[in-house]
Amino acid sequence: MPERESTSLPYPREARSGLGWLVLVVCVFCSIAIQARAGEGGVVSEFEARIKPLLEEYCYDCHGDGASKGDVSLDDPVNGIHNMENQELWLRVWKNMRSDLMPPAKKSQPNANEREEVISWIQAKVFGLDPANPDPGRVTLRRLNRVEYGYSIEDVLGVKFNVNDAFPPDDTGYGFDTIGDVLSISPLLMEKYLAVAERVMAQAIPLEAGRPQTLNLDPGRMRNEKNRSRSARFMRVGSAHRAGIVWEAKTAGRHRLTINYQVVAQSGGKNANATWRVLVDDKELASRAISFENSRTKSFELEVLPVVKKGPRRLDFEMVPGEGATSENVPLAVKVLSVGVTGPSGSISWDSYPESVRRIIDGGPPPAEMGNWEQYARKILRRVATQAYRRPVEDETLDGLIALARVKWKADEEFVAGIRFALTAVLSSPEFLLRGEATGSGEESITAIPLDEYSLATRLSYFLWSSVPDQALLDEAGRGGLRANLRASVDRMLDDPKAERFFLNFVGQWLQIRELDGRVFDTPLLLGIKDGNRARQIFNLYTRQDMMRETQLFFAHILRGNRPAVELINANYAFLNDRLATFYGVKGFEGKDFRKVSLENDPRHGGILTQGSFLLTTSNPDRTSPVKRGLYVLDNLLGVPPPPPPPNIPALENAREKLGEDATVEELMEHHRAQPLCHSCHARLDPIGLALERYNALGQWREGDRYEVSGSLVTGETFKGVEGLRKVISGPRMKDFHRCLTEKLLTYAVGRGVEYYDAPAIDEILQQAEAAGGGLRDFIYEVVESVPFQKQRAQ
């Protein structure tokens, strides 16, 4: 309930002291109490005159006059509906009447006007909701989940980082991993963020970036010009010979030549010795005495720094036999293990820097003089930090980042080292890791304050892209025009390839298919094939991935074309490739690529309810599950889930002991439903799940009349089989589907669960979207223009 505004007291100052002040305070509070009672009395009299008679007529058969079905007694003398403070009871009444669950279908029903009168009265008088001034709710300050972190890194720095190996899975709330209340940061997780920031920056700006790259020469390709069979892999001391190679020096100057070699010997070479020389362009750079005494089982590293000219250069190793080295058979030799040539500092061209480095340092190579680095770095850090922080970086923060860069410049004398160090701090900062939202100017109310445009851009980008706003969004927010042109921004973002993330993350979590490739099934049993290898050729990981892709392409097609949202249920087409078409039994399909296929004359039908991703998600490893399928439809498509089951419910398989091994799933469910503890929930779940028995646990169509089961929803609508169920959901219960879709979109977008005070905002979204034609994109438009998305609850 909104707080009352404070009232100024029009009394002289001298009256506000001592006893006079006390009397005044008492009078004021008495006045407020009288007004409150008068208002309360008006609510009570309105309830007695308008609402109570309707509840008595339609509800008291089961929940009044001594009846308390489901432990609900509306006329309880203490906690009945006359007690306006018992919001828990009123909430149950409101939810059940709003979704047509009460009164039950077999009972006398209020007409549409009567139902709306009760619902509106509860919202206005019991909950204190104002449709003209909706409460935007409270969103908890939250961190980026690991998916958002990975995409943000990719969009800011241009590198793909494996977040699954770096961070633990995120907790979920209300079915999504975008919920603020579960995205907290523990000390251990903060340590991971700090460590990962260093790893990310080492990937984005590699430690060797800006340093000359080492050219590795293969000793096996270093050959003797006269005898090509000899190489530097094994140079015997008893033979005067060379082994060499030509390499290209890209820059003139001092190069670093690193050689790893090993002296190998046996006792027969004790009296032999030789000199091993290193030459560049026939000039000796170094030499080593080779003898039995200096042989080792480990390698040595020889570093020489020759000054060479630009162009092709020749490196040679020469063996000069000495005393005792009289034969090639003397068991003493040099093995060259590796050779590396590194050019002089400054020899690397800007084009050879990694792409991520050139994306971050986007103005080209840094100035040669260190004194000019700061000005260039300030421009780079301002741009990158602004995108990472999702709003312009403050000058004080920028000064701190430059100070960090200076530390590395002095220590390493490398421009990129300073940028790497400063951006590591950016990725470790709360401004990047946490999604806080600031308020801006504009029309304000007692309960709601508009978000500023940068916060609005952040909400929009993480909603549709799971990542930071791009430069176009930030520019629009900076001009103050994002809110006014929101739909144009939505259209641009949904047409961008990054919208695939929305299909992957929202659709994947709403329809519970994101982790489908990790599910385990008894494939031979479900396919009726004893040969496990043969069964896995028919259904495997690729089949599951195809099923997930089918659903994503299906959703994307409807959204991008702004086709009716209810087409998600009643579509007569699907997106298939040859592998999936073969598995489903859809005939006449050719081609490996996914494409839209008409199912007009195919018994399989289209829509979510017939897609393998849904059917697998709602199955057990070894059989179908009508309960899971029914619960899924009620929870994810109609938005009316039943209460949690009581403890110690017997498993469905227990009924098979009484009914026999040949009992059908329908017979097992009927026996299970007959149990007193099970009946109330299963009366809602089973008819839906049994209508979907036409499809097996792997999503394949099954022939036979036994699978064409009739049933009815608890709201009274009857149907037969999958096609009948699709018609009910897309027909008389379409408003429930639209409301459920809206609630799922709003939950994912805002980062909190939908509460009773969201009813006016959701009603407004539904009304406007349906008036525009009910297109799926219309629902997106209305969600991003709604009060919960655009505003913040006043503190």
Side-chain angles (χ1 to χ4, degrees), residues 123-177:
Q123 292 179 182
K125 303 302 182 181
V126 180
F127 299 154
L129 305 183
D130 180 4
N133 186 28
D135 181 355
R138 177 191 62 82
V139 178
T140 303
L141 177 73
R142 62 198 183 278
R143 62 172 171 83
L144 303 181
N145 63 40
R146 68 178 184 178
V147 171
E148 293 169 340
Y149 183 95
Y151 285 137
S152 298
I153 291 295
E154 180 179 346
D155 292 345
V156 172
L157 301 176
V159 295
K160 293 186 177 182
F161 183 78
N162 189 343
V163 292
N164 292 338
D165 289 345
F167 301 115
D170 294 299
D171 291 332
T172 60
Y174 304 97
F176 297 103
D177 60 7

Side-chain angles (χ1 to χ4, degrees), residues 80-398:
I81 52 176
H82 66 279
N83 181 1
M84 301 298 165
E85 299 298 323
N86 188 0
Q87 288 204 356
E88 181 180 350
L89 176 61
W90 278 111
L91 192 62
R92 295 180 69 177
V93 174
W94 174 75
K95 283 183 175 179
N96 282 292
M97 291 199 71
R98 194 163 176 251
S99 56
D100 295 341
L101 294 177
M102 292 293 169
K106 296 179 180 179
K107 298 286 185 178
S108 176
Q109 298 290 315
N111 61 41
N113 291 333
E114 290 173 329
R115 188 180 293 273
E116 179 59 30
E117 182 177 12
V118 175
I119 292 171
S120 299
W121 185 87
I122 295 173
Q123 292 179 182
K125 303 302 182 181
V126 180
F127 299 154
L129 305 183
D130 180 4
N133 186 28
D135 181 355
R138 177 191 62 82
V139 178
T140 303
L141 177 73
R142 62 198 183 278
R143 62 172 171 83
L144 303 181
N145 63 40
R146 68 178 184 178
V147 171
E148 293 169 340
Y149 183 95
Y151 285 137
S152 298
I153 291 295
E154 180 179 346
D155 292 345
V156 172
L157 301 176
V159 295
K160 293 186 177 182
F161 183 78
N162 189 343
V163 292
N164 292 338
D165 289 345
F167 301 115
D170 294 299
D171 291 332
T172 60
Y174 304 97
F176 297 103
D177 60 7
T178 58
I179 305 302
D181 287 340
V182 301
L183 291 175
S184 57
I185 296 184
S186 65
L188 180 60
L189 186 56
M190 191 64 228
E191 289 180 11
K192 284 184 176 293
Y193 277 125
L194 295 173
V196 166
E198 294 181 353
R199 290 167 53 192
V200 168
M201 287 314 307
Q203 182 178 336
I205 304 180
L207 298 178
E208 64 272 14
R211 301 173 185 174
Q213 304 300 298
T214 298
L215 173 65
N216 294 311
L217 305 178
D218 182 3
R221 300 183 65 184
M222 299 181 71
R223 296 283 177 168
N224 185 283
E225 288 184 324
K226 296 179 180 178
N227 184 354
R228 299 296 296 173
S229 65
R230 296 180 182 270
S231 77
R233 289 269 183 214
F234 199 82
M235 300 182 69
R236 295 182 178 274
V237 301
S239 173
H241 66 284
R242 286 187 180 187
I245 194 171
V246 175
W247 96 93
E248 186 76 17
K250 295 183 178 180
T251 306
R254 189 172 295 279
H255 287 57
R256 179 179 297 275
L257 183 62
T258 305
I259 306 163
N260 285 298
Y261 68 98
Q262 187 176 21
V263 178
V264 294
Q266 295 179 4
S267 58
K270 286 184 178 181
N271 298 323
N273 61 77
T275 301
W276 185 64
R277 304 172 67 209
V278 180
L279 305 97
V280 171
D281 294 339
D282 283 332
K283 294 181 180 179
E284 182 179 306
L285 298 179
S287 64
R288 290 291 185 272
I290 306 301
S291 65
F292 182 84
E293 285 74 17
N294 65 16
S295 65
R296 298 288 187 274
T297 57
K298 64 179 182 179
S299 62
F300 297 86
E301 185 174 281
L302 172 65
E303 287 193 4
V304 290
L305 298 172
V307 177
V308 299
K309 296 179 180 180
K310 182 178 180 182
R313 304 268 69 89
R314 183 174 179 85
L315 169 67
D316 281 293
F317 298 139
E318 182 181 25
M319 184 65 70
V320 181
E323 185 179 348
T326 58
S327 168
E328 288 190 10
N329 295 324
V330 173
L332 180 64
V334 171
K335 289 175 63 176
V336 180
L337 304 175
S338 65
V339 181
V341 180
T342 306
S345 178
S347 65
I348 183 170
S349 66
W350 184 246
D351 291 341
S352 62
Y353 276 70
E355 182 181 350
S356 58
V357 177
R358 287 181 279 120
R359 171 176 173 158
I360 296 168
I361 306 174
D362 62 341
E369 297 296 327
M370 187 183 296
N372 298 326
W373 286 0
E374 181 174 322
Q375 182 179 358
Y376 187 35
R378 187 174 291 273
K379 179 181 177 182
I380 294 168
L381 293 176
R382 183 183 296 278
R383 175 182 53 79
V384 178
T386 292
Q387 189 175 15
Y389 294 164
R390 285 89 70 178
R391 62 180 57 247
V393 62
E394 297 178 355
D395 289 339
E396 183 180 357
T397 302
L398 187 59

Side-chain angles (χ1 to χ4, degrees), residues 523-556:
T523 306
L525 173 66
L526 294 173
L527 292 177
I529 299 175
K530 293 184 178 180
D531 185 347
N533 290 330
R534 174 61 182 154
R536 282 184 285 274
Q537 289 176 357
I538 297 173
F539 177 82
N540 49 44
L541 176 62
Y542 297 110
T543 317
R544 288 183 242 188
Q545 292 174 340
D546 287 344
M547 290 175 173
M548 289 189 287
R549 189 62 182 153
E550 172 195 12
T551 302
Q552 292 162 7
L553 290 172
F554 176 64
F555 184 92

Side-chain angles (χ1 to χ4, degrees), residues 428-440:
S428 306
S429 66
E431 289 86 350
F432 174 70
L433 295 175
L434 301 179
R435 283 184 55 190
E437 291 160 341
T439 54

Side-chain angles (χ1 to χ4, degrees), residues 123 154 204 275 320 337 341 356 401 447 471 571 615 668 710 735 780:
Q123 292 179 182
E154 180 179 346
T275 301
V320 181
L337 304 175
V341 180
S356 58
L401 295 175
T447 59
Q471 194 59 49
L615 296 164
L668 295 174
S710 299
K735 67 174 183 177
I780 300 286

